[in-house]
Amino acid sequence: MPVYNPPLRDMQFVMHEVLNVEAELKALPSHAETDADTINAVLEEGGKFAAEIVFPLNISGDAEGCQLDKATHEVKTPTGFKEAYAKYLEGGWAALSCDPEYGGQGLPFVVNQCFYEMMNSANQAWTMYPGLSHGAYECLHAHGTPEQKALYLPKLTSGEWTGTMCLTEPHCGTDLGMLRTKAEPQADGSYKITGQKIFISAGEHDFTENIVHLVLARLPDAPKGSKGISLFLVPKFKVNADGSVGERNAIYCGGLEHKMGIHGNATCQMILDGAVGTMVGEPNKGLAAMFVMMNAARLGVGNQSLGLTEVAYQNALAYAKDRIQMRSLSGTKAKDKDADPIIVHPDVRKMLLTAKAYAEGGRALAIYCALLLDKELNHPDEKVRKDSGEMLALLTPIIKAFLTDNGFEATVMCQQVFGGHGYIKEWGMEQFVRDARINMIYEGTNTVQSLDLLGRKVLGNQGATLKKFGKLVGALVEEEGVNEKMAEFINPLAVLGDQITKFTMEIGFKGMRNADEVGAAAVDYLRVAGHLVFGYFFARMAQVALRQIAAGNTDPFYVAKLQTARFYFAKLFPETATLMRTARAGSKALMDTDAALA
Amino acid sequence: MPVYNPPLRDMQFVMHEVLNVEAELKALPSHAETDADTINAVLEEGGKFAAEIVFPLNISGDAEGCQLDKATHEVKTPTGFKEAYAKYLEGGWAALSCDPEYGGQGLPFVVNQCFYEMMNSANQAWTMYPGLSHGAYECLHAHGTPEQKALYLPKLTSGEWTGTMCLTEPHCGTDLGMLRTKAEPQADGSYKITGQKIFISAGEHDFTENIVHLVLARLPDAPKGSKGISLFLVPKFKVNADGSVGERNAIYCGGLEHKMGIHGNATCQMILDGAVGTMVGEPNKGLAAMFVMMNAARLGVGNQSLGLTEVAYQNALAYAKDRIQMRSLSGTKAKDKDADPIIVHPDVRKMLLTAKAYAEGGRALAIYCALLLDKELNHPDEKVRKDSGEMLALLTPIIKAFLTDNGFEATVMCQQVFGGHGYIKEWGMEQFVRDARINMIYEGTNTVQSLDLLGRKVLGNQGATLKKFGKLVGALVEEEGVNEKMAEFINPLAVLGDQITKFTMEIGFKGMRNADEVGAAAVDYLRVAGHLVFGYFFARMAQVALRQIAAGNTDPFYVAKLQTARFYFAKLFPETATLMRTARAGSKALMDTDAALA
C-alpha cells in the first residue's frame, strides 16, 4: 500500500522564504491578519485530513468505482467516500477560502492551493467532488443574481450542497459553439431546459441532499455559435424561497462512463427533460460567465497533477531505497546485503529526480499563481489587481498543460522505478498513472491550452504580458549575474530569456502569413515557456538556499534544494533546445501530409 | 469499437522494395524457395486471422480478464479465447516458422515477424499465449536433449501444448543471481524443484491439455549468484515415454496478478512443490540457455508495441477525419459542416504523424532484424552468420526499448486525439495505452536495455559493431550525398552519424574513470542510437519512394512515404540535440544528490 506524507516543509519554504506570502497578504485588507503561523497551522491540520481520511480510500475507491441505480437515477459512491465527506464538512474544509459574507472562512487562495495539492495527492477522484463544487461557487459568486447568491452560496460554502459544471455534449467538447441544449423562457421568469450533457464529473452522488448544476444552453432566439450560449442554474431538487429543498427537478443521471481512471468520481451522462432553471449572468453571455469557473478549474487541474507527482515520487523514493537488486556500476555500496538498493543506479535517480523537480517547480509556480489570484481579487490598488490578473491569465495555460504533461511523465517514471511491481494494482503506482492521464485532456486539452497561451495570451497582446514575466527574469539575472555560485542557474535562464523573445517574434511573423504556423508551434512553445517559468523559480529557490547556507544554516533542506535545482538545469531544462528546433521546423511538415494521412 | 486493417502494403514495401527479402532468402538454402508471392499470400491470410478472429476479443478480454479456481488451480481465460486458439491451431499458425523436422512449416522469421505484428495489433494479451510458447520452443530447440526435443518439440510446434519461461521471484527480477528456487537431483536423473515464481505470463490457462514450463533454479551445490543457475523443463502434466500425458506434476498457479493492462493474459504466481523436471543444457549454465529465449522475447516485446502503435494510429486517424470540432486556424475547410474535422489542426496531425512515423520506422527495423535472424541461423557462410548475429545483438535492445517507449508515447498521443472520449473504455484507446505500458517493463526494463546496448554491445567491443552499422549509414550517404532530392534526409543522418562516433568515445573515456557515467548516459544514448537507425531506414525508404516517383509511378503510397519521412526528420529526429546535451551533462547531477533523495 502506498504512503503519503504532506510536504509541509516545502510548502512553507515556497510561501515564506521564497514568495514572502505574509508580507504580500498584509497589503490585502481582507487578508492582512493572515500570518505565517495561521497558514502553517491550517495546512498541518489539512495535511492530516488528506493523509488520514481520504488517502486510505484511494485504492479501494478505484477498485470499487461508482454504481448507478437505473431505476432511481441515484449514484452510490465507493464505500467510505460519503463518510469522509461528512468529516470534511465537520472540519469546515469546504469553506476555507470562501467569502465570510456567505459563511466562509475567508482564508487566502494560497492556503486553499496547498490544501488542495495535498487532497489531490491523497485521492484525486474524491477531491473532484468538492473541487468542482468550488468552481460553481466562484461562478455564482461572480455572476449570480442577489437571489441566487442568497439561496445557494451559503450551502455551497458550507458544502451542504455541491455544484457541477455542465458544458460538454456528445458532439461538442472543445467547440461549445455547437451545443444544442435548449432553454425555453417561462412566464414566471424561469427556464425549462432540455438536452443531454456528457462527461459531467460529480454530476450525481450520495454526499449531499442537493446538487447545483450550472448548465450551458441556448435560448430560442439565440445567435448561432458561441455567441448564443447562456448559463443556467439548475438544481437537482428545486429550492423553496426559505432555502429548504423542494420537489425533484427533471435533471438526472442517465449513465456512468467507464473510464481509464478516477473511478471513484462519478462521470455522468446528464439528461435534462424540461428541468427548471434560472439564468446566471446575461443572456447569450454564458461562456464568459462560465469562464470564471473554467479558469479556476484549469488551475485546479494543474494542481491535481502536482498532487499526483508528489505522491508518486514519495512512493518511488521509498521503494528505490528498500528494493535491492544488482550492484552499483561504480562498486558495491551495501556490502552487508545480497545486492545494492536500486537507488544507487543513475537512471533510477534520474527518474526520481525528474518527479521531484517537477513537483517542486510546479509547487512554486502554483503557489505564486494562487497569490496572484489573491492580489487580483483583493489588492486595493487597481493597477496591481489588473497586472496580477494578466500575469495569472498568462500562467494559467502553463499550469494546466505543463504541470499535467509533467505529472503524467513523472507518474510513469515513478511506476517504472517499481519494475514489474509497478504494473500490479496493489502497489498503487499504476493508479496514479491512470488518474494523471485525464488531467491532460479535460478542462481544455493541452493542445487547446497551448493555443490559448501562444495565440491569445502571448501574440494576442504583442507579447506584452510575456515581457512582464521577462522583466522578472531580467531583474533576477541582473541581481545575481555576478554571483559565481548562482552562475549554473542564472546563465541558462538568461540565455533562454533572450532566446524566447526572438523565438516569439519569429512565430508571430510567420503566423501573420499563415495561422497554421501558430498551431504548429504552440505545443512546443508552451513547454519552452514552462521551462522559462520553472527555470526562474528554481533559480529563485536556489538563491534562497545559497543565502541560507552562506549564513551558516545547516538544515539539509537547503542542500537538497540546490541539488534538485542543479539536476533540473542539467537534465530537464535542456529540452528547450529540441523544442525550439522542432517549433522552427514549421507547419509544412505537418500540413503537407494529405497523402500520408489519407 | 476500434477498427483494424492489416498494413500489408507497408509490410510488402519494406520486405520487397526496401530490403529485397526474396533475394536475401535465396541465399539461404532452407528458405531459397520462399518467394514474395508465398510471403504475401501467407500474410494476407494471417492478417485476416488477426483482424477477424482475435481482434474482436480484445476489448471483451480486457473487461472480463482471467479467473483462477483456487480449488483446482485451473485458470479460465476470457470468453472466446480458447475457441480462437483452436482456430489458430487449425490454421497451422503455431508452426509457421518452426523446424520442419518437428512438424513446422519452416517459413522464415520475416514472415513470422509480420504475422505477429498483426496479432499484437489485434490482441496483445491473447497473442502472448502462443508468443511465449514460441520462446520456449526456441530454447528447447537450441539446448534440449534429444529426448526432450523428441518428446516436446512436436507438441510445441503444433501448438497442442504451450510453453512458459519461469524466471522472476518475489525478491528478484532483473537480478536473477539472487534466485532461490531449488532443484534436487533424483536417482533417476530427474530433479525435484521447489520454490515460488511470480509474473509468469500464460503460466496457467485452458487452451491446451499440457503446459511446458522452463524454470530457472539452483542445484544444491551451485555457486552463488548468476553462475549457479540451471534451467529445467517442468511440465504441468508429466509426459509418458510414448508422448501421452501422464499424472499431474507439482507445479501450479497459486494466484493471478491484478494488473494495469493485458488483462486477458493470465499473469501467474507459480508454486513448485517438489515438481519433477529434467535439466535443459548444462548445470549452472541455465542463464545462457535461457538467453536464447530472452533475446527472442525482447524482439517480441518490441513487436508488441509496434502492433499497438499501428492499431492506435489507425483508430486515431479515422476519428480525426470523422470528428468535427472548431474551424481551421487558416480558414474554414469543410464549408458544408458546422465545424471542420479535427485533422485540419496542426497538432492533431503532429500526434497522428508521430504514431505513423514510429510505426513505419519500427516496422522497417523489425523486419530488418527478422531477416538478420534468418541469416544468423541459416546462411551457409559462417562470416555472414556471425556478422548477422552481432548486428542483431546490437539492435535487439534498441528494438526492445526504443519501440516500446515510442509505442507508449504513440498510444498516449492517439488517445489524446480522441479528447475526453479517449479516456472512456468503449473506444478502446485507453486499453492500448494500458497494454503498451507493460512493454517498457518486462523482459528487462528499458533502463536495463540501455545498459545492455551502451555497456555491453557498444563499449564492450570498442564500438566495433556500431561502426558496422555506421558503415551502412556511410554507404547511403556516399551513394546519395549529391542527390539534391535526398538532401533533406541524408544531411541530418550524416551529421548524426558523425556526431555519434565522437559522442560514444566521450562516454567511453568518461566511463573508464567512473562507471556511473555510462549508467547516467545510457538511456539518452539508446534513444540517440534509435534515431540513427530510424533515420537510416527512413532515408532508405525515401530513396525507394523518390526512385519510384521519378520512374513515373503514380501510386500515392510513395508520396505518403516521403511525407512521413519528412515529418520524421523535421519533428522527431531533432530530439537527438537535447539527448546528447543531457547525456553530456554527466552523472554528477544525478549521483551528487544524497540530500535531495534523503
Side-chain angles (χ1 to χ4, degrees):
Chain A
M1 293 290 286
V3 297
Y4 176 61
N5 294 304
L8 297 170
R9 176 69 178 94
D10 201 55
M11 288 173 173
Q12 290 165 6
F13 170 75
V14 172
M15 285 189 292
H16 308 313
E17 300 182 62
V18 181
L19 298 179
N20 301 310
V21 156
E22 190 179 277
E24 294 268 12
L25 293 176
K26 278 227 186 318
L28 313 181
S30 51
H31 298 311
E33 307 297 308
T34 311
D35 60 10
D37 286 347
T38 306
I39 293 173
N40 295 349
V42 171
L43 291 179
E44 196 176 331
E45 283 308 305
K48 281 184 196 159
F49 183 82
E52 294 169 14
I53 307 297
V54 300
F55 186 58
L57 301 172
N58 195 41
I59 288 188
S60 59
D62 178 71
E64 187 180 341
C66 296
Q67 312 298 331
L68 171 67
D69 182 329
K70 294 227 169 184
T72 63
H73 304 295
E74 297 287 326
V75 165
K76 191 189 162 306
T77 56
T79 306
F81 270 40
K82 187 180 168 163
E83 291 74 14
Y85 190 75
K87 287 184 188 154
Y88 179 82
L89 297 198
E90 216 175 277
W93 296 109
L96 207 60
S97 60
C98 292
D99 189 343
E101 196 183 328
Y102 301 101
Q105 299 189 35
L107 282 165
F109 280 104
V110 281
V111 178
N112 206 52
Q113 163 60 36
C114 294
F115 174 61
Y116 261 80
E117 184 207 307
M118 297 186 286
M119 293 296 288
N120 287 320
S121 284
N123 196 327
Q124 175 169 328
W126 190 94
T127 303
M128 287 170 70
Y129 293 100
L132 280 157
S133 198
H134 204 80
Y137 161 90
E138 295 289 341
C139 183
L140 273 185
H141 193 272
H143 295 283
T145 63
E147 294 75 24
Q148 286 169 334
K149 289 185 182 188
L151 220 47
Y152 293 96
L153 283 183
K155 299 294 178 91
L156 287 171
T157 297
S158 68
E160 283 167 274
W161 299 348
T162 66
T164 76
M165 50 200 293
C166 299
L167 288 69
T168 302
E169 299 181 5
H171 58 284
C172 70
T174 300
D175 195 353
L176 290 169
M178 292 165 76
L179 74 80
R180 294 178 193 151
T181 298
K182 281 185 182 147
E184 286 173 79
Q186 304 298 301
D188 65 355
S190 72
Y191 297 83
K192 283 209 163 176
I193 300 163
T194 303
Q196 192 195 346
K197 298 285 178 180
I198 62 168
F199 299 165
I200 309 308
S201 298
E204 182 58 68
H205 59 74
D206 51 11
F207 284 12
T208 55
E209 60 168 355
N210 206 359
I211 301 172
V212 182
H213 302 282
L214 293 179
V215 181
L216 290 180
R218 292 185 177 284
L219 294 171
D221 56 350
K224 278 193 82 173
S226 59
K227 288 173 182 161
I229 298 173
S230 305
L231 182 62
F232 300 88
L233 186 163
V234 183
K236 176 179 170 184
F237 286 93
K238 291 174 193 167
V239 178
N240 301 319
D242 64 354
S244 64
V245 165
E247 65 176 353
R248 185 73 165 88
N249 205 351
I251 180 169
Y252 55 88
C253 176
L256 291 180
E257 302 291 352
H258 297 97
K259 312 181 297 287
M260 184 181 193
I262 50 167
H263 294 164
N265 198 275
T267 305
C268 303
Q269 299 154 24
M270 298 300 295
I271 312 290
L272 293 103
D273 189 14
V276 176
T278 52
M279 192 180 289
V280 179
E282 314 262 306
N284 301 328
K285 300 270 167 78
L287 272 190
M290 185 58 96
F291 243 80
V292 173
M293 195 162 180
M294 287 287 284
N295 277 325
R298 286 173 178 185
L299 295 172
V301 172
N303 205 17
Q304 291 176 330
S305 284
L306 170 58
L308 290 173
T309 303
E310 174 67 31
V311 69
Y313 165 70
Q314 290 187 15
N315 285 280
L317 177 64
Y319 188 82
K321 287 177 182 173
D322 182 62
R323 174 78 171 175
I324 60 167
Q325 205 80 179
M326 310 296 285
R327 290 296 183 186
S328 162
L329 290 172
S330 56
T332 296
K333 300 291 183 286
K335 292 200 173 70
D336 56 325
K337 291 187 176 147
D338 288 340
D340 288 332
I342 61 172
I343 200 169
V344 303
H345 302 301
D347 191 58
V348 170
R349 289 194 173 224
K350 187 178 175 185
M351 293 189 280
L352 293 171
L353 288 161
T354 298
K356 184 178 175 69
Y358 281 155
E360 293 183 9
R363 183 172 297 124
L365 172 58
I367 294 175
Y368 179 77
C369 283
L371 189 59
L372 286 175
L373 185 58
D374 282 318
K375 285 155 80 171
E376 181 191 9
L377 296 176
N378 297 305
H379 202 282
D381 182 340
E382 193 193 328
K383 186 169 179 322
V384 175
R385 289 203 302 276
K386 184 168 169 287
D387 286 351
S388 300
E390 283 171 4
M391 187 64 80
L392 182 60
L394 177 79
L395 296 175
T396 296
I398 296 176
I399 289 244
K400 197 302 184 169
F402 195 58
L403 266 59
T404 62
D405 282 346
N406 294 349
F408 186 66
E409 195 185 328
T411 52
V412 168
M413 283 185 173
C414 291
Q415 179 189 25
Q416 189 78 12
V417 169
F418 281 70
H421 299 276
Y423 200 67
I424 306 300
K425 285 184 178 287
E426 66 179 295
W427 290 89
M429 301 304 289
E430 61 88 40
Q431 185 188 347
F432 298 141
V433 174
R434 288 186 289 105
D435 288 353
R437 184 66 186 90
I438 189 59
N439 301 341
M440 299 150 82
I441 299 173
Y442 63 12
E443 305 308 339
T445 67
N446 285 1
T447 301
V448 169
Q449 303 301 323
S450 75
L451 292 169
D452 179 47
L453 175 71
L454 180 56
R456 194 180 319 195
K457 307 288 175 62
V458 174
L459 300 176
N461 69 1
Q462 279 76 46
T465 318
L466 181 73
K467 270 181 205 141
K468 280 186 197 160
F469 193 84
K471 275 192 188 165
L472 297 177
V473 174
L476 185 65
V477 171
E478 193 92 349
E479 186 184 353
E480 295 286 1
V482 292
N483 179 351
E484 250 180 62
K485 287 196 169 164
M486 280 292 286
E488 58 184 320
F489 313 114
I490 287 294
N491 292 350
L493 180 64
V495 169
L496 186 63
D498 292 343
Q499 286 173 332
I500 204 168
T501 310
K502 188 160 171 282
F503 181 53
T504 307
M505 280 172 57
E506 272 176 36
I507 301 170
F509 282 125
K510 284 163 77 176
M512 283 191 278
R513 286 194 300 270
N514 176 5
D516 281 334
E517 289 290 336
V518 176
V523 168
D524 292 336
Y525 187 91
L526 187 142
R527 281 198 75 76
V528 173
H531 280 298
L532 181 76
V533 172
F534 269 35
Y536 170 72
F537 284 109
F538 268 114
R540 282 190 63 179
M541 293 192 284
Q543 181 186 44
V544 173
L546 281 170
R547 285 177 183 172
Q548 286 293 331
I549 292 167
N553 193 324
T554 57
D555 185 345
F557 178 88
Y558 299 107
V559 178
K561 189 60 79 176
L562 283 179
Q563 289 173 347
T564 307
R566 275 182 199 126
F567 165 81
Y568 171 76
F569 279 106
K571 300 289 187 180
L572 300 179
F573 189 85
E575 184 193 3
T576 51
T578 287
L579 292 166
M580 287 192 278
R581 205 176 283 207
T582 52
R584 283 185 170 127
S587 71
K588 195 168 181 297
L590 301 176
M591 304 312 288
D592 193 7
T593 54
D594 284 349
L597 300 176
Chain B
M1 294 288 285
V3 296
Y4 176 60
N5 294 303
L8 298 171
R9 176 69 179 92
D10 200 54
M11 288 172 173
Q12 290 164 8
F13 170 76
V14 172
M15 284 190 291
H16 308 313
E17 299 182 61
V18 181
L19 299 179
N20 302 309
V21 156
E22 191 179 277
E24 295 267 13
L25 292 176
K26 276 225 186 323
L28 313 181
S30 51
H31 298 311
E33 308 296 309
T34 311
D35 61 9
D37 285 348
T38 306
I39 293 173
N40 294 348
V42 170
L43 291 178
E44 195 176 331
E45 283 308 304
K48 280 184 197 159
F49 182 82
E52 293 169 13
I53 307 298
V54 301
F55 186 58
L57 301 173
N58 195 41
I59 289 188
S60 59
D62 179 71
E64 189 178 340
C66 295
Q67 312 299 330
L68 171 67
D69 182 328
K70 293 225 170 184
T72 62
H73 304 294
E74 298 286 326
V75 166
K76 192 190 163 306
T77 57
T79 306
F81 270 41
K82 187 180 165 162
E83 291 73 16
Y85 190 75
K87 286 184 189 153
Y88 179 82
L89 297 198
E90 217 175 277
W93 295 110
L96 207 59
S97 60
C98 293
D99 189 343
E101 196 182 331
Y102 301 101
Q105 299 189 33
L107 281 165
F109 280 104
V110 281
V111 177
N112 205 52
Q113 164 61 37
C114 293
F115 173 61
Y116 261 80
E117 183 207 308
M118 297 187 286
M119 293 296 288
N120 287 320
S121 285
N123 196 326
Q124 176 169 329
W126 190 94
T127 303
M128 286 171 71
Y129 293 100
L132 281 157
S133 197
H134 204 80
Y137 161 90
E138 295 289 340
C139 183
L140 273 185
H141 193 272
H143 295 284
T145 62
E147 294 74 23
Q148 286 169 334
K149 288 186 182 187
L151 220 47
Y152 293 95
L153 283 183
K155 299 294 178 90
L156 287 171
T157 298
S158 68
E160 283 167 273
W161 299 349
T162 66
T164 76
M165 47 200 296
C166 299
L167 287 69
T168 303
E169 299 180 4
H171 58 284
C172 70
T174 299
D175 196 352
L176 290 170
M178 293 165 76
L179 74 79
R180 295 178 194 151
T181 298
K182 282 185 181 148
E184 288 173 79
Q186 304 298 301
D188 64 355
S190 71
Y191 296 82
K192 282 209 165 177
I193 300 163
T194 302
Q196 191 194 347
K197 297 286 178 178
I198 62 168
F199 299 165
I200 309 308
S201 298
E204 183 56 69
H205 58 73
D206 51 11
F207 285 11
T208 56
E209 60 167 357
N210 206 0
I211 300 173
V212 182
H213 301 282
L214 293 180
V215 180
L216 289 180
R218 291 186 178 283
L219 295 170
D221 56 350
K224 278 194 81 174
S226 58
K227 286 173 184 163
I229 297 172
S230 305
L231 182 64
F232 300 89
L233 186 163
V234 183
K236 176 179 172 185
F237 286 94
K238 292 174 191 167
V239 178
N240 301 318
D242 65 354
S244 63
V245 165
E247 64 177 352
R248 186 73 166 86
N249 203 352
I251 179 168
Y252 55 87
C253 176
L256 291 180
E257 302 291 354
H258 297 97
K259 311 181 298 286
M260 183 181 195
I262 50 165
H263 293 163
N265 198 275
T267 305
C268 303
Q269 299 156 23
M270 298 299 295
I271 313 291
L272 293 101
D273 189 13
V276 176
T278 53
M279 192 181 288
V280 179
E282 314 262 308
N284 301 328
K285 298 274 168 76
L287 271 190
M290 185 60 97
F291 243 81
V292 172
M293 197 162 177
M294 288 287 283
N295 277 324
R298 286 173 177 185
L299 295 171
V301 172
N303 205 18
Q304 292 176 329
S305 283
L306 171 57
L308 290 173
T309 303
E310 173 68 31
V311 69
Y313 165 69
Q314 290 187 15
N315 284 281
L317 177 64
Y319 188 82
K321 288 178 182 173
D322 182 61
R323 174 78 171 177
I324 62 167
Q325 205 79 178
M326 309 296 284
R327 291 296 183 185
S328 163
L329 291 173
S330 56
T332 295
K333 299 291 182 287
K335 293 201 173 70
D336 55 326
K337 291 185 177 148
D338 287 340
D340 288 331
I342 61 172
I343 199 169
V344 303
H345 301 301
D347 191 56
V348 170
R349 288 194 173 225
K350 187 179 174 185
M351 294 190 277
L352 293 171
L353 288 161
T354 298
K356 185 179 174 69
Y358 281 155
E360 294 183 9
R363 184 171 298 124
L365 172 58
I367 295 176
Y368 179 78
C369 283
L371 189 58
L372 286 175
L373 185 57
D374 283 318
K375 286 155 80 172
E376 182 191 8
L377 296 176
N378 297 304
H379 202 283
D381 183 340
E382 193 193 328
K383 185 168 181 323
V384 175
R385 289 202 302 275
K386 183 167 170 290
D387 286 351
S388 300
E390 283 172 4
M391 186 64 80
L392 181 61
L394 177 79
L395 296 174
T396 297
I398 296 176
I399 289 244
K400 191 323 186 155
F402 195 58
L403 265 59
T404 62
D405 282 345
N406 294 348
F408 186 65
E409 193 185 329
T411 53
V412 168
M413 283 186 173
C414 291
Q415 178 190 26
Q416 189 77 12
V417 169
F418 281 70
H421 298 276
Y423 201 67
I424 306 300
K425 285 184 179 286
E426 67 180 293
W427 289 89
M429 300 305 290
E430 60 87 40
Q431 185 189 346
F432 298 141
V433 174
R434 287 186 289 106
D435 288 354
R437 183 69 186 88
I438 189 58
N439 301 340
M440 300 150 80
I441 299 172
Y442 62 13
E443 306 306 341
T445 68
N446 286 0
T447 301
V448 169
Q449 302 302 322
S450 74
L451 292 170
D452 178 48
L453 175 71
L454 180 56
R456 192 178 322 193
K457 307 288 174 64
V458 172
L459 300 177
N461 68 2
Q462 280 76 46
T465 318
L466 181 73
K467 271 182 204 140
K468 281 187 196 160
F469 192 85
K471 275 192 187 166
L472 296 177
V473 173
L476 185 65
V477 171
E478 192 93 349
E479 186 185 351
E480 295 286 1
V482 293
N483 180 351
E484 253 181 60
K485 289 196 169 164
M486 280 292 287
E488 58 184 321
F489 313 115
I490 287 295
N491 291 351
L493 180 64
V495 169
L496 186 62
D498 291 344
Q499 286 173 331
I500 204 168
T501 310
K502 189 159 172 285
F503 181 52
T504 308
M505 280 171 57
E506 272 176 35
I507 301 170
F509 282 124
K510 285 163 74 177
M512 283 191 279
R513 287 194 300 270
N514 176 4
D516 280 334
E517 289 291 337
V518 176
V523 168
D524 292 337
Y525 187 90
L526 186 142
R527 280 199 76 77
V528 173
H531 280 298
L532 181 75
V533 172
F534 269 36
Y536 170 71
F537 284 109
F538 268 114
R540 281 189 63 179
M541 293 192 284
Q543 181 186 43
V544 172
L546 281 169
R547 284 176 183 172
Q548 286 294 330
I549 292 167
N553 193 325
T554 56
D555 185 345
F557 178 87
Y558 299 107
V559 178
K561 189 60 79 175
L562 283 180
Q563 289 173 348
T564 308
R566 274 182 200 126
F567 165 81
Y568 170 75
F569 278 105
K571 299 290 185 180
L572 301 179
F573 189 86
E575 183 193 2
T576 50
T578 287
L579 292 167
M580 286 193 278
R581 204 176 283 209
T582 52
R584 283 185 170 125
S587 70
K588 194 166 181 300
L590 301 176
M591 304 312 288
D592 194 6
T593 54
D594 284 348
L597 299 176

